[in-house]
Coordinates of all heavy atoms in Angstrom, one line a residue:
K1 N -150.7 -139.0 -205.0 CA -151.7 -138.1 -205.7 C -151.3 -138.0 -207.2 O -151.9 -137.2 -207.9 CB -151.8 -136.8 -205.0 CG -152.5 -136.9 -203.6 CD -152.6 -135.4 -203.1 CE -153.5 -135.4 -201.8 NZ -153.0 -136.2 -200.7
N2 N -150.2 -138.5 -207.5 CA -149.6 -138.4 -208.9 C -149.5 -137.0 -209.2 O -149.7 -136.5 -210.3 CB -150.5 -139.1 -209.9 CG -149.7 -139.8 -211.0 OD1 -148.6 -140.3 -210.8 ND2 -150.4 -139.9 -212.2
T3 N -148.9 -136.2 -208.2 CA -148.7 -134.8 -208.4 C -147.4 -134.3 -207.9 O -146.8 -134.7 -206.9 CB -149.9 -134.1 -207.6 OG1 -151.2 -134.5 -208.1 CG2 -149.8 -132.5 -207.7
V4 N -146.9 -133.2 -208.5 CA -145.6 -132.6 -208.1 C -146.0 -131.2 -207.8 O -146.8 -130.6 -208.6 CB -144.5 -132.6 -209.1 CG1 -143.4 -131.7 -208.9 CG2 -144.0 -134.1 -209.2
Y5 N -145.5 -130.6 -206.8 CA -145.8 -129.3 -206.4 C -144.5 -128.3 -206.5 O -143.3 -128.7 -206.3 CB -146.3 -129.3 -204.9 CG -147.5 -130.1 -204.6 CD1 -147.3 -131.4 -204.2 CD2 -148.7 -129.6 -204.9 CE1 -148.4 -132.3 -204.0 CE2 -149.8 -130.5 -204.8 CZ -149.6 -131.8 -204.3 OH -150.8 -132.6 -204.0
L6 N -144.8 -127.1 -206.7 CA -143.8 -126.0 -206.6 C -144.3 -125.0 -205.6 O -145.2 -124.3 -205.9 CB -143.5 -125.5 -207.9 CG -142.5 -124.3 -207.9 CD1 -141.1 -124.9 -207.6 CD2 -142.4 -123.5 -209.2
Q7 N -143.8 -125.0 -204.4 CA -144.1 -124.0 -203.4 C -143.3 -122.8 -203.6 O -142.0 -122.9 -203.7 CB -143.8 -124.6 -202.0 CG -144.0 -123.6 -200.9 CD -145.6 -123.3 -200.8 OE1 -146.5 -124.2 -200.8 NE2 -145.9 -122.0 -200.6
M8 N -143.9 -121.7 -203.8 CA -143.3 -120.4 -204.2 C -143.4 -119.5 -203.0 O -144.7 -119.0 -202.9 CB -143.8 -119.9 -205.4 CG -143.8 -121.0 -206.6 SD -144.8 -120.4 -207.9 CE -143.7 -119.0 -208.7
N9 N -142.5 -119.0 -202.3 CA -142.5 -118.1 -201.2 C -141.7 -116.9 -201.5 O -140.9 -116.8 -202.4 CB -142.0 -118.7 -199.9 CG -142.8 -120.0 -199.5 OD1 -144.0 -120.0 -199.7 ND2 -142.1 -120.9 -198.9
S10 N -142.1 -115.8 -200.8 CA -141.5 -114.6 -200.9 C -141.2 -114.2 -202.4 O -140.2 -113.8 -202.9 CB -140.0 -114.7 -200.2 OG -140.0 -115.0 -199.0
L11 N -142.3 -114.0 -203.1 CA -142.4 -113.9 -204.5 C -142.0 -112.5 -204.9 O -142.3 -111.5 -204.1 CB -143.8 -114.2 -205.0 CG -144.1 -115.7 -205.2 CD1 -145.5 -116.0 -205.4 CD2 -143.3 -116.2 -206.5
K12 N -141.4 -112.3 -205.9 CA -141.0 -111.1 -206.4 C -141.5 -110.7 -207.7 O -141.8 -111.6 -208.5 CB -139.3 -111.1 -206.6 CG -138.6 -111.3 -205.3 CD -137.2 -111.5 -205.5 CE -136.4 -111.8 -204.2 NZ -134.9 -112.0 -204.4
P13 N -141.6 -109.5 -208.1 CA -142.1 -109.1 -209.5 C -141.4 -109.9 -210.6 O -142.1 -110.3 -211.6 CB -142.0 -107.7 -209.6 CG -142.1 -107.2 -208.2 CD -141.4 -108.2 -207.3
E14 N -140.1 -110.1 -210.4 CA -139.4 -110.7 -211.5 C -139.7 -112.3 -211.6 O -139.2 -113.0 -212.5 CB -137.9 -110.6 -211.3 CG -137.4 -110.8 -210.0 CD -137.2 -109.7 -209.0 OE1 -138.2 -108.8 -209.0 OE2 -136.2 -109.5 -208.3
D15 N -140.4 -112.7 -210.7 CA -140.9 -114.1 -210.8 C -142.2 -114.3 -211.8 O -142.5 -115.5 -212.0 CB -141.2 -114.7 -209.4 CG -140.1 -114.8 -208.5 OD1 -139.0 -115.2 -208.9 OD2 -140.3 -114.5 -207.3
T16 N -142.6 -113.2 -212.2 CA -143.8 -113.2 -213.1 C -143.4 -113.9 -214.4 O -142.4 -113.6 -215.1 CB -144.2 -111.8 -213.4 OG1 -144.8 -111.1 -212.2 CG2 -145.4 -111.7 -214.4
A17 N -144.3 -114.9 -214.7 CA -143.9 -115.8 -215.9 C -145.0 -116.7 -216.0 O -145.8 -116.9 -215.1 CB -142.7 -116.5 -215.8
V18 N -145.1 -117.5 -217.2 CA -145.9 -118.6 -217.3 C -145.0 -119.8 -216.8 O -144.0 -120.0 -217.2 CB -146.3 -118.9 -218.8 CG1 -147.1 -120.2 -218.8 CG2 -147.2 -117.8 -219.2
Y19 N -145.5 -120.5 -215.9 CA -144.8 -121.7 -215.3 C -145.3 -123.0 -215.9 O -146.6 -123.3 -215.9 CB -145.0 -121.8 -213.8 CG -144.1 -120.6 -213.1 CD1 -144.5 -119.3 -213.2 CD2 -143.1 -121.0 -212.4 CE1 -143.6 -118.4 -212.5 CE2 -142.3 -120.0 -211.7 CZ -142.6 -118.8 -211.8 OH -141.8 -117.8 -211.3
Y20 N -144.5 -123.9 -216.3 CA -144.7 -125.1 -216.9 C -144.2 -126.2 -216.2 O -142.9 -126.1 -215.7 CB -144.1 -125.2 -218.4 CG -144.5 -124.2 -219.3 CD1 -143.9 -122.9 -219.4 CD2 -145.7 -124.5 -220.1 CE1 -144.5 -121.9 -220.4 CE2 -146.2 -123.5 -221.0 CZ -145.5 -122.2 -221.1 OH -146.0 -121.2 -222.0
C21 N -144.8 -127.5 -216.1 CA -144.1 -128.5 -215.7 C -143.9 -129.5 -216.8 O -144.7 -129.4 -217.8 CB -144.9 -129.2 -214.6 SG -146.5 -129.9 -215.0
A22 N -142.9 -130.3 -216.7 CA -142.5 -131.2 -217.9 C -141.9 -132.5 -217.2 O -141.3 -132.5 -216.2 CB -141.4 -130.6 -218.7
A23 N -142.0 -133.5 -218.0 CA -141.6 -134.9 -217.5 C -140.5 -135.5 -218.5 O -140.6 -135.3 -219.7 CB -142.8 -135.8 -217.5
R24 N -139.7 -136.2 -217.9 CA -138.7 -136.9 -218.5 C -138.3 -138.1 -217.8 O -138.7 -138.2 -216.6 CB -137.3 -136.2 -219.0 CG -136.6 -135.8 -217.7 CD -135.3 -134.9 -218.1 NE -134.6 -135.4 -219.2 CZ -133.7 -136.4 -219.2 NH1 -133.5 -137.1 -218.0 NH2 -133.1 -136.9 -220.3
A25 N -137.5 -139.2 -218.3 CA -137.3 -140.3 -217.7 C -136.4 -140.1 -216.5 O -135.2 -139.6 -216.6 CB -136.7 -141.3 -218.6
R26 N -136.8 -140.4 -215.4 CA -136.0 -140.6 -214.1 C -135.3 -139.4 -213.5 O -135.3 -139.1 -212.4 CB -135.2 -141.9 -214.2 CG -136.1 -143.2 -214.3 CD -135.3 -144.4 -214.4 NE -136.2 -145.6 -214.3 CZ -136.7 -146.0 -215.5 NH1 -136.5 -145.5 -216.6 NH2 -137.5 -147.1 -215.4
L27 N -134.2 -139.1 -214.4 CA -133.2 -138.0 -214.0 C -133.5 -136.7 -214.4 O -134.0 -136.5 -215.6 CB -131.8 -138.5 -214.3 CG -131.3 -139.9 -213.8 CD1 -130.0 -140.3 -214.3 CD2 -131.5 -140.0 -212.3
C28 N -133.2 -135.7 -213.7 CA -133.3 -134.3 -214.0 C -132.2 -133.9 -215.1 O -131.1 -134.3 -214.9 CB -133.3 -133.4 -212.8 SG -134.7 -133.6 -211.7
R29 N -132.6 -133.0 -216.0 CA -131.7 -132.4 -216.7 C -132.1 -130.9 -217.0 O -133.2 -130.5 -216.9 CB -131.7 -133.0 -218.2 CG -131.2 -134.5 -218.2 CD -129.7 -134.6 -218.0 NE -129.2 -136.0 -218.1 CZ -129.1 -136.8 -217.1 NH1 -129.5 -136.5 -215.9 NH2 -128.6 -138.1 -217.3
V30 N -131.1 -130.1 -217.3 CA -131.4 -128.7 -217.4 C -132.0 -128.3 -218.7 O -132.6 -127.2 -218.9 CB -130.1 -127.9 -217.2 CG1 -129.0 -128.0 -218.2 CG2 -130.3 -126.3 -216.9
W31 N -131.8 -129.1 -219.8 CA -132.2 -128.8 -221.1 C -133.7 -129.1 -221.4 O -134.2 -130.3 -221.3 CB -131.4 -129.6 -222.2 CG -129.9 -129.5 -221.9 CD1 -129.1 -128.3 -222.1 CD2 -129.1 -130.5 -221.3 NE1 -127.8 -128.6 -221.7 CE2 -127.7 -129.9 -221.3 CE3 -129.2 -131.7 -221.0 CZ2 -126.7 -130.6 -220.8 CZ3 -128.1 -132.4 -220.5 CH2 -126.9 -131.9 -220.4

């Protein structure tokens, strides 16, 4: 489906935010 999902359970008020997805080559990085 060319799609990535974020399943969010047990949500808390502090999870309130704008959520973004982003792409980079192959490997994950924190920056």
Side-chain angles (χ1 to χ4, degrees):
K1 293 182 170 63
N2 219 28
T3 301
V4 169
Y5 303 98
L6 182 66
Q7 180 66 47
M8 309 166 67
N9 299 325
S10 302
L11 283 161
K12 304 175 180 179
E14 51 263 44
D15 296 318
T16 296
V18 177
Y19 284 72
Y20 301 88
C21 65
R24 70 182 312 281
R26 294 181 176 83
L27 301 180
C28 292
R29 296 288 186 269
V30 71
W31 308 287

